[in-house]
Amino acid sequence: MINIREITISEIQKMLSTKTITVKELVQEYIDRIYTLDKGENGLNSVLEINPEALRIAVDLDIQGNYEGKPLYGIPILIKDNIATADLMHTSAGSLALSDSYVSYDADIVKTLRKNGAVILGKTNMTELANYMTMNMPAGYSCRGGQVLNPYDREKDPSGSSTGSAVAVAANLCATSIGTDTSNSIIAPALINGIVGLRPTTGVISQRGIIPISFSLDTAGSFTRTVEDAAIMYAGLTDTPMIREDSADLKGKIIGYNEWNPDAMPEETIVRMEEVVRSLEMAGATIKRVTIPKTIHIKNLMKYEFKYAMNQYLKSLPKDYHIKTLKDIIEYNKQHPKDALRYGQTYLLDAEENTSGNCDEVIYHEALRDREECTRSIREQLQGMDMCIMQSFNNILQYTSMPVITIPCGLYKDGMPFGIYMTANNDRQLIKSALTVSKIVGARVEPRL
C-alpha cells in the first residue's frame, strides 16, 4: 500500500520501473479512493463510471513490463465523458439521450494514450454536452451524472465544463486526467480547483472521436498537479520529445501582463497578482503591461458549427443506434422532460432551428474573418515576449487558438485556490516558461477531504 496523494507521474514511473509497486496495486489504490471520496451521498461526484476492465488492463501491463518508449506506461488516467472509447464504458457527454451509447472506435487521443501504456481508469462527469446544452446550467451538472462538487468548498462553483476531470485531479483520484476546452472549459476549472490545466494550441491534438461543439475551437488537454506532469502528458499525447525548462531564473525574459478589465477584479486578486509580478521581476524578468481585448464573436463560431459538428459525430455511431441527429437528442429530451430537461435545452433548440447545419451563414463567415484578424493582432502583441500572464478569464486565447496553461499559486483568504494562467506563441515555449514560473510563484495546496 502506498500513499497516492500528490504523487507525480515521474514518481509513479520510478516506482513501477523499480517494482516498488505494480500497476494493478496502483490502479486499485485509485479505485478505492474514488469509492471512499467520490461516491455516495457526500461524495464529490466527479467520476461518472470506473472502467470495468481497468484492473485487467493493469495486470496485462504488469506482465508485459514494456516501459521502453511508452511515457505513460501504467499511469491511471481519467477521461472526460465526451471522449469515445471502444470498450465497456459509455460515451455520453453527460446526456441522457446518449446514456446508452457504446462507441465502436477509440477517439484518436485514446488510441495515443493506450499506445503509450496508459490505463484508462474511467470517465469523468461534466457539464452536459460541454456546457452547450442550455443557458444557466450549473457548472459540473449533467442529467446523466448529477452535480460535481468543489473539493475545497462544496458550496462553491466547481467550474466547467471539464469539471469532473479537474476535481478528480485536485482530489487525487487519478494520476492525471483529460478534459476538453472550447471556451475556458479546461482553464476555468483548473484555476478554481487549484491544479495545472494545459490547453494546447488548437489542432495539435486530434479531435476525432470527441463529442464536439466547434471544430474551430475544440481541443483536448490535460489536468495535472504539477507543470512537470503537464510536460510529460504533452509529450505523451503528441508523441514529441519531453520539454524541459531552459533555466532556473527569468533573467533576460520579457513577460507580458494582461491588465484587461481590472476594475471588475476583487481587491484580493489584484493584490495577489501584483505580488506575482514582483516575484517575477525579482527573478530577473522584465514585465511589459499589455491590454488584450475580450472577443465578442466566439459564440458565433460555436452556434453555427455545433449542429454540423454534432451531426457528423452522430453519423460515426453504429447504424442501428437510435440517436442519429441533433434533432433526435432534442426530441428524446422532450419525451423525458423530468429527467432530461431540468434546466432546458435553449442552445440545442437555437442551433437546430436557427442554423443551417452547413456553416454557410454570412455572420459565421464574418466571425471567421474576425478570428483571423484577432489572431494576427494577438500574435503581434506577443511578438518578442517569452510569455504573457493573465489577470482574468479572457476567451480571446481560445478564439485565436493560442495555447494556455494554469499555475496554482496558493489559496485566497477564504480557502479557495488562487492561480494565474499564461500563454505564449507556441506550446513548447509556453511549457518551458511555465516550468520556470511555477518554481518561482507556484504553490499547489491539497484540499482537505
Side-chain angles (χ1 to χ4, degrees):
M1 185 176 184
I2 64 164
N3 182 4
I4 56 175
R5 288 168 47 196
E6 301 298 287
I7 194 170
T8 66
I9 294 176
S10 57
E11 288 170 342
I12 291 173
Q13 290 171 333
K14 184 176 180 179
M15 294 177 73
L16 290 174
S17 63
T18 59
K19 300 190 184 306
T20 305
I21 191 174
T22 66
V23 181
K24 180 185 177 183
E25 289 169 338
L26 180 65
V27 169
Q28 188 64 63
E29 286 290 328
Y30 280 117
I31 290 174
D32 291 346
R33 188 168 173 85
I34 289 169
Y35 277 113
T36 299
L37 296 176
D38 201 66
K39 302 299 182 184
E41 184 177 350
N42 297 313
L44 296 170
N45 201 35
S46 67
V47 180
L48 195 53
E49 59 182 312
I50 294 172
N51 185 356
E53 299 178 297
L55 287 171
R56 178 193 61 75
I57 294 169
V59 170
D60 289 345
L61 291 172
D62 282 326
I63 293 172
Q64 295 165 19
N66 183 20
Y67 298 90
E68 191 67 29
K70 295 184 177 181
L72 301 178
Y73 198 92
I75 304 300
I77 298 178
L78 288 168
I79 64 175
K80 191 174 178 180
D81 183 46
N82 61 347
I83 302 174
T85 53
D87 52 24
L88 299 179
M89 292 187 290
H90 306 82
T91 303
S92 72
S95 169
L96 287 182
L98 300 174
S99 62
D100 59 352
S101 171
Y102 291 95
V103 183
S104 59
Y105 64 96
D106 279 338
D108 285 352
I109 191 173
V110 174
K111 290 179 182 178
T112 302
L113 289 171
R114 296 195 200 276
K115 180 186 73 172
N116 285 319
V119 180
I120 308 299
L121 186 60
K123 298 272 183 96
T124 56
N125 198 2
M126 57 184 284
T127 315
E128 188 164 345
L129 294 178
N131 204 21
Y132 209 76
M133 170 77 174
T134 190
M135 295 177 64
N136 302 318
M137 177 172 276
Y141 176 83
S142 71
C143 291
R144 181 183 170 212
Q147 180 66 52
V148 181
L149 301 179
N150 189 303
Y152 290 88
D153 185 338
R154 299 184 186 207
E155 299 300 317
K156 297 286 181 67
D157 180 1
S159 196
S161 70
S162 301
T163 322
S165 295
V167 168
V169 169
N172 286 286
L173 304 181
C174 56
T176 178
S177 71
I178 302 295
T180 63
D181 189 307
T182 305
S183 176
N184 271 322
S185 291
I186 287 176
I187 302 310
L191 284 170
I192 289 175
N193 289 284
I195 56 175
V196 177
L198 174 61
R199 183 196 200 279
T201 301
T202 309
V204 168
I205 295 175
S206 169
Q207 295 307 289
R208 180 181 177 273
I210 300 178
I211 299 177
I213 295 177
S214 162
F215 52 82
S216 293
L217 303 169
D218 295 348
T219 186
S222 65
F223 291 103
T224 56
R225 289 177 288 273
T226 68
V227 176
E228 289 82 0
D229 280 359
I232 293 172
M233 285 297 291
Y234 185 83
L237 291 173
T238 59
D239 286 326
T240 55
M242 179 69 179
I243 301 170
R244 305 185 189 281
E245 65 179 315
D246 288 326
S247 63
D249 59 42
L250 295 171
K251 291 179 181 177
K253 302 294 185 182
I254 300 175
I255 300 178
Y257 173 34
N258 179 41
E259 295 185 294
W260 176 78
N261 202 17
D263 294 340
M265 293 296 99
E267 181 63 27
E268 187 179 0
T269 298
I270 295 173
V271 170
R272 295 292 297 271
M273 287 298 299
E274 290 298 333
E275 290 174 351
V276 166
V277 168
R278 285 195 296 273
S279 295
L280 298 179
E281 287 178 324
M282 290 177 64
T286 298
I287 304 297
K288 182 178 181 180
R289 298 184 183 245
V290 297
T291 300
I292 298 174
K294 184 176 182 180
T295 176
I296 59 173
H297 297 289
I298 192 168
K299 290 186 178 180
N300 284 338
L301 292 184
M302 296 162 68
K303 173 177 177 176
Y304 291 103
E305 290 182 354
F306 178 67
K307 182 177 179 178
Y308 171 84
M310 178 60 79
N311 286 343
Q312 289 297 116
Y313 169 80
L314 294 173
K315 284 180 182 179
S316 74
L317 299 181
K319 291 183 179 181
D320 61 349
Y321 190 60
H322 64 102
I323 300 291
K324 301 182 184 302
T325 64
L326 173 60
K327 186 176 182 179
D328 291 338
I329 294 177
I330 292 170
E331 291 304 313
Y332 176 94
N333 292 339
K334 287 180 178 179
Q335 293 168 16
H336 304 83
K338 183 177 179 181
D339 296 323
L341 289 179
R342 181 175 178 182
Y343 297 98
Q345 53 180 344
T346 53
Y347 293 150
L348 304 191
L349 290 169
D350 186 34
E352 177 62 30
E353 296 172 0
N354 299 318
T355 73
S356 67
N358 297 318
C359 301
D360 56 5
E361 287 85 356
V362 172
I363 192 171
Y364 168 68
H365 286 275
E366 289 175 347
L368 289 178
R369 287 191 292 272
D370 178 75
R371 183 179 184 234
E372 290 179 2
E373 293 173 5
C374 286
T375 299
R376 283 194 296 271
S377 174
I378 192 171
R379 289 192 178 277
E380 286 174 1
Q381 286 194 64
L382 296 179
Q383 197 67 35
M385 297 183 194
D386 294 278
M387 69 200 88
C388 182
I389 62 173
M390 315 298 271
Q391 187 180 35
S392 59
F393 294 141
N394 191 337
N395 56 17
I396 187 69
L397 301 178
Q398 284 81 359
Y399 187 55
T400 55
S401 303
M402 298 291 290
V404 195
I405 195 169
T406 67
I407 298 177
C409 301
L411 303 178
Y412 284 106
K413 293 176 182 178
D414 65 357
M416 291 296 292
F418 163 74
I420 62 172
Y421 68 113
M422 301 167 41
T423 189
N425 265 318
N426 61 71
D427 295 356
R428 298 189 72 83
Q429 181 182 351
L430 176 62
I431 294 171
K432 278 185 179 182
S433 298
L435 285 165
T436 301
V437 169
S438 66
K439 291 182 178 179
I440 296 168
V441 300
R444 152 77 182 165
V445 181
E446 182 184 2
R448 296 178 180 180
L449 296 170

